[in-house]
Amino acid sequence: MAGSHGGSPKSWLAVIVILLGFTVGGVALCLGPNWMMFWVGAGIIAVGGVLALIVDIFSDVIVDAPREPLDHTG
């Protein structure tokens, strides 16, 4: 995805795993709270964090060259 801010599929996989864990933990808090399910969600988030480190998620950041402001005079 050269020239895109979309990130690579491996990075999106890590993000999806983290979001899944967050969702499981959030649902667990709404169900009572169900602490066992909450900690399972926290574990899924931790796995997603490790996955993000393994795939080097921060290397997907693309820094554009500085943009020139438009000259609206005349």
Side-chain angles (χ1 to χ4, degrees), residues 43-67:
I44 294 171
I45 292 171
V47 168
V50 170
L51 184 61
L53 290 173
I54 290 172
V55 300
D56 197 19
I57 196 170
F58 291 113
S59 69
D60 281 345
V61 175
I62 300 170
V63 180
D64 289 337
R67 297 181 182 167

Side-chain angles (χ1 to χ4, degrees), residues 1-72:
M1 293 184 151
S4 169
H5 292 281
S8 68
K10 61 186 179 182
S11 296
W12 276 109
L13 175 64
V15 170
I16 289 170
V17 170
I18 292 169
L19 285 173
L20 178 67
F22 184 80
T23 302
V24 169
V27 168
L29 289 176
C30 293
L31 294 178
N34 183 338
W35 292 110
M36 180 56 116
M37 188 174 167
F38 172 81
W39 288 112
V40 167
I44 294 171
I45 292 171
V47 168
V50 170
L51 184 61
L53 290 173
I54 290 172
V55 300
D56 197 19
I57 196 170
F58 291 113
S59 69
D60 281 345
V61 175
I62 300 170
V63 180
D64 289 337
R67 297 181 182 167
E68 297 294 325
L70 295 174
D71 185 18
H72 292 293

